[in-house]
Amino acid sequence: MITNDIWLIAGLGNPEAKYNGTRHNAGFAALDSLAAKWGIQVSKAKFQGLWGQGEADGHKVCLLKPLTYMNLSGDSIAPMAAFFKIPPAHVIVLCDDITQPPGKLRIRPSGSAGGHNGLKSIIARLGTDQFPRIRIGVGAKPRPDYDLADWVLGRLPEADAKALADRSDDIAAAARLIMDGRLPEAQNKYNR
């Protein structure tokens, strides 16, 4: 039984301005949208990231943008979760997903990294894969031999960026359902 009703929502991305608008920064963009919706300033520097604290629909939330670069996301998330005594089941990760078309959401209660280096790092640092994640579709590589790093670090075309932005309300609603203990409902509603 979890008695600590505080949630950590982390949006994954890379910190330098040159990565703004890239596929790999879909998690940062989603977190910025949540922060704006919930009136939370993500501006405090600690835990190798930028973070802010507030409330969303009766839940205490910490929003975090790890500034460690994607492959070391866990080095930011795990210390923050430990500091606030937030169990993995209360850590929601927002990240890009190249296996889904742009804007398609894939909500999962747990699971493997599925080749995502940010999730790999978080699983390694938390010592478990038992944390919810909202994966945001950014589209697949145009052909099998296309370099994966070039693809995820490439800028989203305008139509794809709009498809992601158009899901910001759904991401917020899904996060609320997860915090309310209704993750299966979030899956049924938004994994379409």
Side-chain angles (χ1 to χ4, degrees):
M1 176 93 183
I2 295 166
T3 54
N4 188 6
D5 186 41
I6 185 167
W7 289 80
L8 167 54
I9 303 178
L12 305 192
N14 287 309
E16 291 177 64
K18 68 181 179 182
Y19 297 113
N20 292 349
T22 62
R23 292 176 181 85
H24 234 9
N25 276 32
F28 271 12
L31 193 87
D32 287 342
S33 177
L34 287 183
K37 276 182 200 337
W38 296 341
I40 299 172
Q41 281 203 332
V42 180
S43 56
K44 296 179 200 166
K46 196 174 179 178
F47 312 109
Q48 296 188 68
L50 288 177
W51 72 284
Q53 204 171 3
E55 209 171 281
D57 297 317
H59 297 283
K60 284 184 262 176
V61 294
C62 293
L63 301 182
L64 173 67
K65 287 168 91 168
L67 300 181
T68 53
Y69 290 94
M70 182 64 78
N71 298 359
L72 298 173
S73 297
D75 292 354
S76 174
I77 292 168
M80 186 173 193
F83 182 85
F84 285 103
K85 298 180 172 54
I86 300 170
H90 274 211
V91 175
I92 301 172
V93 175
L94 312 173
C95 66
D96 60 294
D97 186 346
I98 62 160
T99 70
Q100 301 297 317
K104 184 173 187 327
L105 302 182
R106 223 168 115 216
I107 299 160
R108 295 282 180 268
S110 59
S112 76
H116 193 287
N117 289 330
L119 290 174
K120 259 184 223 165
S121 170
I122 297 163
I123 290 166
R125 287 300 309 271
L126 290 179
T128 182
D129 66 2
Q130 300 296 302
F131 57 88
R133 68 279 317 250
I134 301 174
R135 296 183 65 146
I136 304 155
V138 295
K141 298 188 300 182
R143 52 183 200 277
D145 65 329
Y146 199 96
D147 184 72
L148 180 61
D150 286 346
W151 181 249
V152 295
L153 297 178
R155 290 206 169 284
L156 283 159
E158 201 174 317
D160 293 358
K162 184 183 181 324
L164 268 62
D166 286 349
R167 297 310 300 271
S168 63
D169 287 344
D170 292 342
I171 292 168
R176 281 191 206 102
L177 286 171
I178 293 168
M179 292 189 290
D180 287 342
R182 295 156 65 193
L183 188 142
E185 189 179 327
Q187 289 179 296
N188 290 338
K189 204 165 178 186
Y190 300 112
N191 282 5
R192 51 185 156 80

